[in-house]
Each structure stands twice: as structure tokens, then as C-alpha cells.
Amino acid sequence: MSPARNVRGVVELPGDKSISHRYAMLAGIAEGHSRLENYSTGADCASTLACMRALGVNWERKDGGVIEVHGKGRVLTAPRGPLECGNSGSTMRMLSGIVAGQKFTSEMVGDESLSRRPMERVIKPLSQMGAKISSREGKPPLRITGGSLKAIDYTMPVASAQVKSCVLLAGLFAEGETQVEEPLRTRDHTEVALRAFGAQVHRKAAGAGNEVRVRGGQRLHGVESRIPGDLSSAAFFLCAAALFPGSQLVIPNLLMNPTRARLLDILMQMGLGISVTKLDEVHGELVGSLQIEGARLKGATLAGGDSAALIDEIPVLAAIAPYTEQGIEVRDARELRVKESDRIAAVAANLRLMGAQVEERDDGLNIPGGQTLHGVEIDSFGDHRIAMAFAVAALRAQGETLIRGSESAAISYPAFFQSLDEVAER
Ligand code: S3P
């Protein structure tokens, strides 16, 4: 990756990864046909589709990024082999809620990274609902025997949209009304998507968090929808633009759901010019077009609810922190240690290799501003967001940066390097 002198152009993002997973799952258990335009091109969302096929759901890829799903309804068929979730925690955690509602046994497996990630956070509520689950000490593979679930009131110990979604999806198959309470507000795409597919979901704000309720036995119908551009993928371009005061970038059709858009506030507070030139609503999700203007970048402190809301964007914000005026401090982000890699350690290691001063803490990082980085050989740690975050950091480094394992970007965004090259002026 060679340095750039500016970022300029238009970037069209593939469909949002979080929404694509949910739409593929809900379309599969809906009655009737769904047409999903701009479905995520990432390998993770392909894993979800492959699992749905293994559970008896027919779907086809059409031209122009369209997926047509023939809903199978609430009763799926027993898979002949393990459900391969690949690198995708979203697939394993959310789909476990659906297979827990089925009268058969499913085995869910993942790659090396996913096999290290904590699953007791879904095992506990699903077991309380009546599913029989075995695991390798709380880690994948999971063996889930589902069947007659009963509704629960569940207070989540960690703020996780995947866990909330797992419980709500299982709640669709349970007898009674399931309630989930989260300690901090997390992304609400499952609630929004359930409504789009015809279910009733109730939400009550409670303190910093949220209570969500869903009644079991509800039937879903198919939808025709265009999935908005992925905001977490856009983060790499927004941060790239933020590196150069002369940047000018246009991002059309971007997801702007308020539970995901905190990055835009933070970057604006840091000085980036962002204007929304168009705003629409598609099946309950806000979609906007953005115009971005570079500026000198101040620092930021990310803590509490912000760290939860920005969890997928922290790696790239941290990767550009040395170039900001006051630096960036990240607290309350311990969850980053159990993502596709230990993202706190990965960011600290790569920034240090590039010559930055970094303080690594148990739950975050403190990265002073006003630093100069140089291009060296660094590692993606097999993690898509680390590969992309450091491709952005490389744009302002002195000299060439080599990112080992950069192909991991394909987990969420196969065309990333090509799109970045198109807007990076050299
Ligand atoms: C996601 C939720 C977040 C996020 C992940 C996608 C989702 O994980 O990091 O990339 O689509 O619900 P947690 O549920 O662990 O917070």
C-alpha cells in the first residue's frame, strides 16, 4: 500500500453486513418469496446463505447483487452435515436462535478464529428456553437440539446485538412472550427487520439500555428490499478522507440507522465536514447520501455507550489516531478482545511496528496525536477490519506498507482495495 496525497471521488458500498445476515435468515423462515437487492458481497453473508440452504431453504443469486429467497416457513429441514459458519460470529450466534426452535439437532462449526470466540453468551439464554446445547467449554462447535421452547425474560450481561438477536429469533419459536433487556443500546436491525417481515416487536427504553419483547408463534412474510450500503465498510473511506484536509468524497445510499451512525457524529466533532444530501427510509432503515470534506482532525475520547456503538469502527479510528492533533483514547471496549482477532492487541502491535507510541490497556488504547508513521510489513491477524484499518493508516505513512493476510478483507468487503485505490490520489 503506497501513501496518497488526497482522497477524492464517489464510493458505492455493498449492502450492510448486519442487515444482509438478518434478511437472509428472516427470508428463509418467512412464507413466500423475498428479493434482496444489494446483498452484502462479503464471505460472512455467503456463510449465512449456505447455512440456510443446508436447512432446506432454496435461494438463487441473480444479476446485479440480487438474491431471491424462497421462504420455507417456520419449519426447516434437518441439515445433513455441520452448518459451516466460517469466520462469521453473526451467523453462528443469530442462527443458533433459529435452529433452537427446530425439532432436530444441528451442529454449528466455524474457522479457527470463530472456534476461539465465546458462545456461552447464547448457550445460556437458549438453554433457559429449553434447547439442549453442547459445546467445547463454551466455544464452537455447538450441537443444538431444539424443539419446544418457552419464553424467557432475559437480562443480557454484555451489550451484544448478536445475543439480543439470537434470543429474539428463538422467541419467535417459543411459547409465550420473550423479553430481552440490554445494558446499553445496541444496533436494532433485528427489531427493524422483524417488523419489515410482518412481525410485531415492542420496545421500551429503560435507562441507558432497552427492553424488547416478541411474541412466539408469529408468521413472517417475504419482502422485496434494497439493502443500504454498509456503514462499517464506509468507515474506512470516511477515515481515509479524514486524513487529508483537501479530501472530497461522495457516498450514496448509505445506511444511517441511528444505532449505527455514531461514527458520523464523532468524525464531525473531530472536524470532518459531513453533509447529508438525501435521506430516505427503506423498510424502517434510514438511508442517506453523504458529502464529505476533509479538514484538520482533532482528537477524541471514546467510552461507555460510545464504545459499544462504535465497536466495529474503533480499529480504523485507532489506526488514524496518530495523525490527529490530540490523539484518541478508547475505554470500555474490552469486547474488542473477543472479535475476529484481539483487536486491541492487533492495533497496538501494528501501530508500534509503524513507529507510533501507543498505550495498550485491558479495555482500550491511548494513542497520542501528532505522530509520524512509516510504512513497514504488518499483519492483518487474519481479521478483515484490521487489514482495512491499516490500509487506511498506510495512506499517510512514509513509504510503502505491506499488509500480510490482506485477503481477509473479503470477509466483509471483497472489492475494498480496488475501491480504495480508485479514490486515493497519489
Ligand atoms: C453485529 C454485532 C456486533 C458487531 C458485529 C455485528 C451484528 O457484535 O461487532 O460485527 O450484526 O449484530 P456483538 O453482538 O458481539 O456486539
Side-chain angles (χ1 to χ4, degrees):
M1 197 79 202
S2 40
R5 46 183 180 82
N6 208 7
V7 166
R8 194 182 284 264
V10 181
V11 192
E12 301 236 19
L13 277 312
D16 185 71
K17 178 156 105 65
S18 291
I19 297 179
S20 296
H21 283 301
R22 287 154 169 87
Y23 270 45
M25 290 180 201
L26 295 183
I29 58 169
E31 284 160 30
H33 168 264
S34 290
R35 181 184 153 87
L36 313 179
E37 275 179 51
N38 202 36
Y39 188 81
S40 165
T41 51
D44 268 7
C45 294
S47 293
T48 291
L49 281 172
C51 289
M52 295 313 287
R53 166 115 56 218
L55 289 162
V57 176
N58 287 325
W59 54 265
E60 293 117 48
R61 258 181 219 283
K62 301 281 179 184
D63 288 345
V66 174
I67 307 283
E68 283 195 358
V69 184
H70 308 282
K72 186 144 174 50
R74 296 166 50 88
V75 182
L76 301 175
T77 45
R80 287 212 209 99
L83 297 170
E84 304 274 356
C85 302
N87 192 244
S88 175
S90 298
T91 307
M92 191 174 284
R93 295 200 180 114
M94 295 197 284
L95 196 55
S96 65
I98 292 177
V99 298
Q102 306 295 322
K103 289 189 175 43
F104 49 74
T105 299
S106 315
E107 193 187 359
M108 308 187 91
V109 300
D111 70 3
E112 205 195 312
S113 150
L114 183 53
S115 301
R116 285 194 301 264
R117 297 183 63 188
M119 293 297 148
E120 72 278 2
R121 51 185 67 189
V122 293
I123 296 174
K124 193 171 158 214
L126 292 178
S127 304
Q128 282 177 19
M129 294 175 90
K132 301 272 171 293
I133 307 185
S134 64
S135 68
R136 199 179 40 84
E137 293 176 0
K139 308 249 160 79
L142 301 183
R143 232 182 120 75
I144 305 182
T145 306
S148 28
L149 301 184
K150 53 180 190 306
I152 53 168
D153 279 6
Y154 191 65
T155 303
M156 300 192 322
V158 276
S160 160
Q162 293 171 353
V163 176
K164 172 176 66 174
S165 304
C166 166
V167 179
L168 290 175
L169 292 174
L172 275 185
F173 296 91
E175 204 185 306
E177 192 177 53
T178 294
Q179 178 174 304
V180 196
E181 192 183 331
E182 51 186 358
L184 292 169
R185 187 97 199 265
T186 65
R187 63 192 74 189
D188 65 355
H189 304 302
T190 301
E191 298 89 304
V192 172
L194 277 169
R195 290 193 191 109
F197 282 80
Q200 284 183 10
V201 182
H202 302 284
R203 182 176 84 77
K204 193 169 96 198
N210 203 15
E211 277 171 20
V212 191
R213 287 182 288 120
V214 70
R215 201 171 19 80
Q218 299 190 65
R219 286 157 63 166
L220 307 182
H221 58 66
V223 300
E224 298 210 351
S225 195
R226 183 179 169 82
I227 298 175
D230 192 315
L231 184 55
S232 300
S233 298
F236 301 104
F237 294 92
L238 289 160
C239 288
L243 294 177
F244 306 97
S247 294
Q248 285 198 327
L249 199 61
V250 171
I251 309 185
N253 301 318
L254 189 64
L255 175 70
M256 296 210 34
N257 176 316
T259 63
R260 288 282 296 286
R262 190 75 184 117
L263 175 75
L264 303 179
D265 305 327
I266 297 288
L267 285 173
M268 282 196 282
Q269 281 164 22
M270 290 171 74
L272 190 68
I274 303 182
S275 26
V276 180
T277 54
K278 196 168 159 246
L279 198 59
D280 285 317
E281 198 187 308
V282 182
H283 286 297
E285 294 285 5
L286 278 186
V287 189
S289 294
L290 300 187
Q291 204 161 325
I292 321 292
E293 303 221 354
R296 285 159 63 110
L297 215 54
K298 296 182 223 142
T301 300
L302 311 175
D306 277 351
S307 295
L310 285 161
I311 200 75
D312 291 342
E313 291 76 56
I314 288 175
V316 66
L317 282 168
I320 63 162
Y323 304 121
T324 63
E325 285 178 354
Q326 289 93 14
I328 294 183
E329 184 183 357
V330 180
R331 298 199 301 260
D332 308 318
R334 196 173 284 105
E335 274 292 303
L336 284 176
R337 295 209 181 264
V338 290
K339 293 291 175 188
E340 287 83 328
S341 70
D342 176 343
R343 288 182 172 161
I344 294 180
V347 165
N350 282 341
L351 282 178
R352 284 188 186 126
L353 282 171
M354 295 178 83
Q357 192 197 322
V358 182
E359 186 193 334
E360 179 181 341
R361 299 177 185 154
D362 183 40
D363 71 339
L365 296 151
N366 189 22
I367 306 161
Q371 307 193 60
T372 305
L373 304 191
H374 49 259
V376 283
E377 188 174 324
I378 54 173
D379 197 354
S380 70
F381 296 87
D383 183 332
H384 56 127
R385 297 205 197 278
I386 298 297
M388 294 187 277
F390 281 88
V392 173
L395 296 179
R396 249 190 67 180
Q398 292 180 348
E400 291 274 321
T401 304
L402 187 96
I403 306 168
R404 261 183 283 128
S406 60
E407 67 281 357
S408 59
I411 286 296
S412 57
Y413 194 174
F416 170 74
F417 285 100
Q418 193 190 328
S419 299
L420 188 63
D421 260 351
E422 279 167 17
V423 296
E425 291 187 338
R426 299 217 151 85

Coordinates of all heavy atoms in Angstrom, one line a residue, residues 17-19 21-22 90 93-94 117 121 159-163 165 186-187 189-190 308 311-312 335 339-340 343 385, ligand 1:
K17 N -23.6 -5.5 6.1 CA -23.4 -6.9 6.5 C -24.4 -7.4 7.6 O -25.0 -8.4 7.5 CB -22.0 -7.0 7.1 CG -21.6 -8.4 7.6 CD -20.1 -8.5 7.5 CE -19.4 -8.4 8.8 NZ -19.7 -9.5 9.8
S18 N -24.6 -6.5 8.6 CA -25.6 -6.9 9.7 C -27.0 -7.1 9.1 O -27.7 -8.1 9.5 CB -25.7 -5.7 10.7 OG -24.5 -5.7 11.4
I19 N -27.4 -6.2 8.2 CA -28.8 -6.3 7.7 C -28.9 -7.5 6.7 O -29.9 -8.3 6.7 CB -29.2 -5.0 7.0 CG1 -29.2 -3.9 8.0 CG2 -30.6 -5.1 6.3 CD1 -29.6 -2.5 7.4
H21 N -27.3 -10.4 6.8 CA -27.4 -11.7 7.6 C -28.9 -11.8 8.0 O -29.5 -12.9 7.9 CB -26.6 -11.6 8.9 CG -25.1 -11.8 8.8 ND1 -24.6 -12.9 8.2 CD2 -24.1 -11.0 9.1 CE1 -23.3 -12.9 8.3 NE2 -22.9 -11.7 8.8
R22 N -29.4 -10.8 8.6 CA -30.8 -10.8 9.2 C -31.8 -11.1 8.1 O -32.7 -11.9 8.3 CB -31.1 -9.5 9.9 CG -30.3 -9.5 11.3 CD -30.1 -8.1 11.7 NE -29.6 -7.9 13.1 CZ -28.3 -8.0 13.4 NH1 -27.4 -8.1 12.5 NH2 -28.0 -7.8 14.7
S90 N -21.7 -13.6 13.6 CA -23.1 -13.2 13.5 C -23.9 -14.5 13.0 O -25.0 -14.7 13.5 CB -23.3 -12.1 12.4 OG -22.6 -11.0 12.8
R93 N -24.1 -17.0 16.0 CA -24.9 -16.6 17.2 C -26.4 -16.4 16.9 O -27.3 -16.8 17.6 CB -24.3 -15.3 17.8 CG -22.9 -15.6 18.4 CD -22.5 -14.6 19.4 NE -21.2 -14.8 19.9 CZ -20.1 -14.0 19.7 NH1 -20.2 -12.9 19.0 NH2 -18.9 -14.3 20.3
M94 N -26.6 -15.7 15.7 CA -28.0 -15.4 15.4 C -28.8 -16.7 14.9 O -29.9 -17.0 15.4 CB -28.1 -14.3 14.4 CG -27.6 -13.0 15.0 SD -28.1 -11.5 14.1 CE -27.0 -11.6 12.6
R117 N -14.0 -18.1 19.8 CA -14.9 -17.0 20.3 C -15.9 -17.5 21.3 O -16.4 -18.6 21.2 CB -15.5 -16.2 19.1 CG -14.4 -15.6 18.3 CD -14.9 -14.8 17.2 NE -15.7 -13.6 17.6 CZ -16.4 -12.8 16.8 NH1 -16.4 -13.1 15.5 NH2 -17.1 -11.8 17.3
R121 N -22.5 -16.9 25.8 CA -23.5 -15.8 25.9 C -24.8 -16.2 25.1 O -25.8 -15.6 25.4 CB -22.8 -14.5 25.3 CG -22.2 -14.7 24.0 CD -21.4 -13.5 23.5 NE -20.3 -13.1 24.3 CZ -19.6 -12.0 24.2 NH1 -20.0 -11.1 23.3 NH2 -18.5 -11.7 25.0
A159 N -23.4 -6.1 26.4 CA -24.1 -5.5 25.4 C -23.7 -6.1 24.1 O -22.6 -6.0 23.6 CB -23.8 -4.0 25.3
S160 N -24.6 -6.9 23.5 CA -24.3 -7.6 22.2 C -25.6 -7.7 21.4 O -26.6 -8.3 21.8 CB -23.8 -9.0 22.5 OG -23.9 -9.8 21.3
A161 N -25.5 -7.1 20.2 CA -26.7 -7.2 19.3 C -26.9 -8.6 18.8 O -28.0 -9.0 18.5 CB -26.5 -6.2 18.1
Q162 N -25.8 -9.4 18.7 CA -25.9 -10.7 18.2 C -26.7 -11.6 19.2 O -27.5 -12.4 18.9 CB -24.6 -11.3 17.9 CG -23.9 -10.7 16.8 CD -22.4 -11.1 16.6 OE1 -21.9 -11.8 17.5 NE2 -21.8 -10.7 15.5
V163 N -26.4 -11.4 20.5 CA -27.1 -12.1 21.5 C -28.5 -11.7 21.6 O -29.4 -12.5 21.7 CB -26.4 -12.0 22.9 CG1 -27.1 -12.7 24.0 CG2 -24.9 -12.5 22.8
S165 N -30.3 -10.6 19.3 CA -31.0 -11.1 18.1 C -31.3 -12.6 18.2 O -32.3 -13.1 17.9 CB -30.1 -10.9 16.9 OG -29.8 -9.5 16.8
T186 N -27.8 -1.4 21.7 CA -27.0 -1.9 20.6 C -27.8 -1.8 19.3 O -29.0 -1.5 19.3 CB -26.6 -3.4 20.8 OG1 -27.8 -4.2 20.8 CG2 -25.9 -3.6 22.1
R187 N -27.2 -2.1 18.2 CA -27.9 -2.0 16.9 C -29.2 -2.7 16.9 O -29.3 -3.8 17.4 CB -27.0 -2.4 15.7 CG -26.6 -3.9 15.7 CD -25.5 -4.2 14.8 NE -24.2 -3.7 15.2 CZ -23.1 -3.6 14.6 NH1 -23.0 -4.1 13.3 NH2 -22.0 -3.1 15.1
H189 N -31.2 -3.7 14.2 CA -31.6 -4.2 12.9 C -32.5 -5.4 13.0 O -33.4 -5.6 12.1 CB -30.4 -4.6 12.0 CG -29.4 -3.5 11.8 ND1 -29.7 -2.3 11.3 CD2 -28.1 -3.4 12.1 CE1 -28.7 -1.5 11.3 NE2 -27.7 -2.2 11.8
T190 N -32.4 -6.2 14.0 CA -33.3 -7.4 14.1 C -34.7 -6.9 14.4 O -35.7 -7.4 13.7 CB -32.8 -8.4 15.2 OG1 -31.5 -8.8 14.8 CG2 -33.7 -9.6 15.3
A308 N -19.5 0.9 22.8 CA -20.4 -0.2 22.3 C -21.0 0.2 20.9 O -21.0 -0.7 20.0 CB -21.5 -0.4 23.3
I311 N -18.3 -0.2 18.1 CA -17.3 -1.3 18.3 C -16.6 -1.8 17.0 O -15.4 -2.1 17.1 CB -18.1 -2.5 19.1 CG1 -17.1 -3.4 19.7 CG2 -19.1 -3.2 18.2 CD1 -16.4 -2.9 21.0
D312 N -17.3 -1.8 15.9 CA -16.7 -2.2 14.7 C -15.8 -1.1 14.0 O -15.0 -1.4 13.1 CB -17.7 -2.7 13.6 CG -18.4 -4.0 14.1 OD1 -17.8 -4.7 15.0 OD2 -19.5 -4.3 13.6
E335 N -14.7 -5.8 24.8 CA -15.3 -6.7 23.8 C -14.4 -6.8 22.6 O -14.4 -7.8 21.9 CB -16.7 -6.2 23.4 CG -17.8 -6.7 24.3 CD -18.0 -8.2 24.2 OE1 -18.3 -8.7 23.1 OE2 -17.9 -8.9 25.3
K339 N -13.2 -10.3 19.4 CA -13.8 -10.2 18.0 C -13.0 -11.2 17.1 O -12.3 -12.1 17.6 CB -13.6 -8.8 17.5 CG -14.5 -7.8 18.2 CD -16.0 -8.1 17.9 CE -16.9 -7.2 18.7 NZ -18.3 -7.5 18.6
E340 N -13.0 -11.0 15.8 CA -12.3 -12.0 14.9 C -10.8 -12.1 15.2 O -10.2 -13.2 15.0 CB -12.5 -11.5 13.4 CG -13.9 -11.6 12.8 CD -14.8 -10.5 13.2 OE1 -14.7 -9.9 14.3 OE2 -15.7 -10.2 12.4
R343 N -8.6 -7.3 18.9 CA -8.4 -6.1 18.1 C -7.6 -5.0 18.8 O -7.0 -4.1 18.2 CB -9.7 -5.6 17.5 CG -10.3 -6.4 16.5 CD -11.6 -5.9 15.9 NE -11.9 -6.7 14.7 CZ -13.2 -6.8 14.2 NH1 -14.1 -6.1 14.7 NH2 -13.4 -7.5 13.1
R385 N -11.2 -6.4 9.5 CA -11.2 -5.0 9.8 C -9.8 -4.5 10.2 O -9.5 -3.3 10.0 CB -12.2 -4.7 11.0 CG -13.6 -5.0 10.6 CD -14.7 -4.3 11.4 NE -16.0 -4.9 11.2 CZ -16.8 -4.8 10.2 NH1 -16.5 -3.9 9.2 NH2 -17.9 -5.4 10.1
Ligands
S3P1 C1 -23.1 -7.4 15.0 C2 -23.0 -7.0 16.3 C3 -21.7 -6.7 16.9 C4 -20.6 -6.4 15.8 C5 -20.7 -7.4 14.7 C6 -22.0 -7.5 14.0 C7 -24.5 -7.7 14.5 O1 -21.2 -7.8 17.7 O2 -19.4 -6.4 16.4 O3 -19.7 -7.1 13.7 O4 -24.7 -7.7 13.3 O5 -25.4 -7.8 15.3 P1 -21.8 -8.1 19.2 O6 -23.1 -8.6 19.1 O7 -20.8 -9.0 19.8 O8 -21.7 -6.7 19.8

